[in-house]
Amino acid sequence: MARSVPSGWNVSEGPTRGLVITLDGPAGSGKTTTAKAVAKRLGFRHLDSGALYRALTFALLQKGVPEEEWEGLGSEQLSELKIEVDADGDGVNIHFDGVLLTMELRSPEVTGSVSAVAGLPAVRAWLLGVQRSVGAHGNLVADGRDMGTVVFPDADVKFFLVAGLEERARRRLLQDTGREPTAGELQEEARRIEQRDQADRSRSHAPLRRPEGAVEVDTTGLSFEDQVALILRRVKDLTRLQGEV
Ligand code: CDP
């Protein structure tokens, strides 16, 4: 059965589901923007799993649920937060109380609390089903911290993106403010990123780590275009997708 791929690519007979490609890595390594561009190029769906954790965090903050109560939340209370995930097209839309969430997911308040929410076993269990149903038919590029290890352990191609701490802080600030940061801003952002990395690496459930068999890509000296091209080339080399990159 032919799979849906961009023009110029041919796919030979293969498993019934389409390809699943995962990109994991720490904050600011370029996962989400790269995954989005790779998915677009392949005509695949993009799953930004971090946005799901951010959405739950946003909902908890909006509803004023005190942080001391987060640990005791179960699946019923999480469902009552009214987060809805719709994955009909190439992307994934997240609604809260019927309103589409976009920029609010990246507020400093959400970023400051998201690792605590992501460390809760009930949250991870609740989102596991959501993420797997988004990727059930394959033709998916998923990015996050545990895509290749926990959510899609059978993914066809796995990547682990890394970059130097200062470069990651610079990218994050450039993305958020649209200008080159000062040395003081850089130092402060690097400290915040390091804290979040530490929390994501040391938690007991689905910690951030390099998935077995993942291709490690150091993006420190790479331009965005080179990063996307490199990933597409590796996908082509490692699968039966054929054609011009
Ligand atoms: O883009 P950035 O690196 O700032 O983070 P993100 O991908 O939006 O993820 C935000 C946070 O969600 C991370 O710091 C993790 O705590 C959590 N997360 C996770 O635990 N597992 C994932 N698969 C994705 C994100």
Side-chain angles (χ1 to χ4, degrees):
M1 185 179 63
R3 284 180 242 151
S4 155
V5 288
S7 56
W9 295 65
N10 305 304
V11 182
S12 49
E13 289 294 309
T16 49
R17 73 148 168 75
L19 291 180
V20 173
I21 300 162
T22 60
L23 274 71
D24 288 301
S29 55
K31 311 171 300 293
T32 305
T33 42
T34 306
K36 192 172 179 186
V38 169
K40 186 156 192 239
R41 177 68 185 83
L42 295 174
F44 285 9
R45 176 176 287 164
H46 171 222
L47 169 64
D48 168 7
S49 63
L52 299 173
Y53 290 92
R54 287 176 178 273
L56 275 185
T57 307
F58 178 77
L60 288 169
L61 296 175
Q62 279 295 108
K63 299 232 162 176
V65 180
E67 197 165 339
E68 332 50 282
E69 291 179 16
W70 293 357
E71 196 69 52
L73 293 171
S75 58
E76 205 170 307
Q77 286 101 329
L78 293 173
S79 300
E80 281 165 10
L81 289 173
K82 298 267 187 296
I83 290 290
E84 272 161 27
V85 180
D86 123 53
D88 271 350
D90 288 345
V92 175
N93 294 319
I94 310 173
H95 292 86
F96 168 61
D97 255 345
V99 177
L100 181 70
L101 296 176
T102 55
M103 291 309 289
E104 48 281 80
L105 295 180
R106 308 216 58 91
S107 74
E109 293 74 26
V110 170
T111 303
S113 295
V114 65
S115 285
V117 174
L120 302 170
V123 164
R124 303 209 76 86
W126 196 73
L127 285 179
L128 188 62
V130 172
Q131 295 169 93
R132 287 195 177 149
S133 67
V134 166
H137 303 295
N139 287 354
L140 181 81
V141 183
D143 78 86
R145 304 292 191 284
D146 62 344
M147 296 297 97
T149 52
V150 175
V151 181
F152 301 110
D154 299 328
D156 301 273
V157 193
K158 301 179 185 184
F159 292 95
F160 192 65
L161 268 54
V162 296
L165 178 62
E166 192 176 315
E167 174 62 12
R168 294 193 282 130
R170 196 185 71 83
R171 285 180 190 165
R172 185 41 47 92
L173 289 168
L174 202 59
Q175 186 182 40
D176 290 348
T177 66
R179 61 165 175 81
E180 279 294 334
T182 64
E185 288 169 335
L186 256 186
Q187 208 177 8
E188 182 57 22
E189 184 62 18
R191 194 188 54 75
R192 276 194 293 262
I193 286 184
E194 225 175 0
Q195 262 177 5
R196 196 144 58 90
D197 281 355
Q198 175 56 22
D200 290 342
R201 285 206 165 92
S202 61
R203 68 179 174 224
S204 44
H205 292 268
L208 167 66
R209 63 179 171 79
R210 180 181 185 275
E212 211 174 303
V215 179
E216 183 159 318
V217 179
D218 186 341
T219 67
T220 311
L222 293 178
S223 70
F224 177 65
E225 290 73 25
D226 289 347
Q227 210 162 290
V228 172
L230 187 149
I231 302 254
L232 284 166
R233 265 201 312 277
R234 295 295 281 170
V235 169
K236 184 185 160 189
D237 290 347
L238 295 169
T239 65
R240 283 176 287 175
L241 281 178
Q242 289 152 25
E244 294 301 312
V245 177

